[in-house]
Amino acid sequence: MISIKSEREIELMRKAGLLVSEMHKFIKPYIKAGITTKELDKLCDDFILKHNAVPTCKGYEGYPTATCISVNEQVVHGIPNNYTLKNGDIVTIDVVIGYKGYQGDAAWTYAIGNIDDDKKHLLEYTEKALYEGVRMVKPGNRIGDIASAIQKYAEAHNLGVVRELCGHGIGREMHEDPEVPNFGIPNTGPRLKPGMIICIEPMLTFGKRDVLLLDDDWTVVTQDNSPAAHYEHTVLVTQDGYEILTPRLD
Ligand code: MF3
Ligand code: CO
């Protein structure tokens, strides 16, 4: 069932989303060569707690930390650890924050120092693919319209679309209906209505689209070791279009 949020719920979702945006803005200056992903996670976790909010991922199905931090060939759900970021890496920080029972969710991929042209291409067109999907959000359009817009754009730029993971509805729970895939057919799937809130999150690869799950049961990596990027916004369906609840503040 796809829930329609009330005005009161939308106001709380805006606050949760804004905290997610503020956390991304807060952490950005720390995302540099020499810091470990565990140190980044600790800073994010402290930031969330300081704002009387909840790091929703921590403890979710046994996930250990506040953030998912995925480096280079890691697509999603990388567990923060003692890896030290170095020049040329790309790193995705993905976070879900709960505020008064409502969730916000956003991910961004960042470059460490100078990255090669392949990674530049990957980051530029994965971010743009997210907005290609977001642009399709308006009442009457369908989930397949978002999915196919992302797929077409990604494939036109020679990027692989990961099939095993997708976006989702969000509200009191971090994962609600509907599923929001990054590939599909226009004019299919659930129809969007004002008050629905969804997370759109293309996960694209520079090489082949196939992925593997590591032994830690969380980290998803590309099979061919090619780099992957991930950009995600929480998006409200409004009367005549959309509102991004996790705006970029940097
Ligand atoms: N942003 C991720 C998602 O959309 C958060 C899930 S990570 C988990 O699925 F560790 F909490 F599962
Ligand atoms: Co998400």
Side-chain angles (χ1 to χ4, degrees):
M1 213 245 332
I2 305 176
S3 69
I4 304 288
K5 273 76 178 175
S6 68
E7 266 313 312
R8 186 194 71 91
E9 290 181 297
I10 289 169
E11 206 33 60
L12 292 169
M13 290 293 291
R14 271 195 195 101
K15 293 212 170 110
L18 205 55
L19 270 175
V20 169
S21 298
E22 280 164 357
M23 193 213 81
H24 275 285
K25 183 183 174 191
F26 159 79
I27 200 63
K28 192 173 177 189
Y30 295 97
I31 309 174
K32 294 262 156 65
I35 196 164
T36 67
T37 57
K38 204 186 204 165
E39 287 166 334
L40 287 174
D41 177 74
K42 170 85 170 106
L43 288 162
C44 291
D45 199 351
D46 289 348
F47 178 93
I48 296 166
L49 296 178
K50 208 178 86 190
H51 287 80
N52 299 313
V54 178
T56 305
C57 292
K58 203 191 242 186
Y60 177 84
E61 292 183 6
Y63 189 79
T65 55
T67 59
C68 301
I69 305 187
S70 309
V71 181
N72 296 331
E73 78 285 357
Q74 298 176 351
V75 184
V76 288
H77 302 166
I79 299 175
N81 59 19
N82 288 323
Y83 178 79
T84 303
L85 293 173
K86 61 177 196 310
N87 185 48
D89 284 344
I90 55 172
V91 59
T92 303
I93 300 199
D94 185 4
V95 70
V96 183
I97 298 179
Y99 179 75
K100 295 196 176 167
Y102 289 85
Q103 311 297 321
D105 184 359
W108 298 107
T109 305
Y110 302 90
I112 305 300
N114 303 310
I115 56 172
D116 65 27
D117 288 346
D118 293 358
K119 284 175 170 167
K120 277 186 196 149
H121 177 93
L122 173 69
L123 265 51
E124 176 175 352
Y125 292 104
T126 307
E127 183 171 8
K128 286 182 175 163
L130 165 61
Y131 293 109
E132 287 297 303
V134 170
R135 283 194 319 124
M136 301 308 287
V137 176
K138 65 171 179 200
N141 272 7
R142 301 173 74 169
I143 293 294
D145 297 322
I146 301 170
S148 72
I150 293 171
Q151 180 182 15
K152 276 206 197 93
Y153 190 84
E155 290 175 354
H157 292 90
N158 282 316
L159 298 176
V161 177
V162 173
R163 298 291 202 271
E164 289 81 355
L165 299 141
C166 57
H168 48 90
I170 186 166
R172 285 191 162 278
E173 304 295 329
M174 93 173 156
H175 292 149
E176 299 186 354
D177 289 340
E179 282 196 345
V180 185
N182 297 303
F183 63 99
I185 298 163
N187 204 26
T188 63
R191 220 171 266 286
L192 301 173
K193 297 195 180 101
M196 289 180 178
I197 302 181
I198 57 175
C199 290
I200 301 176
E201 49 177 321
M203 290 151 268
L204 306 182
T205 64
F206 190 77
K208 294 211 170 72
R209 68 175 192 235
D210 310 87
V211 295
L212 281 175
L213 183 64
L214 294 189
D215 283 342
D216 63 15
D217 268 344
W218 281 103
T219 314
V220 176
V221 299
T222 57
Q223 242 175 64
D224 65 5
N225 250 9
S226 69
H230 177 205
Y231 289 84
E232 172 177 25
H233 271 311
T234 299
V235 181
L236 166 70
V237 185
T238 62
Q239 292 301 328
D240 56 0
Y242 64 85
E243 177 183 334
I244 293 174
L245 301 184
T246 48
R248 286 202 82 161
L249 301 175
D250 52 292

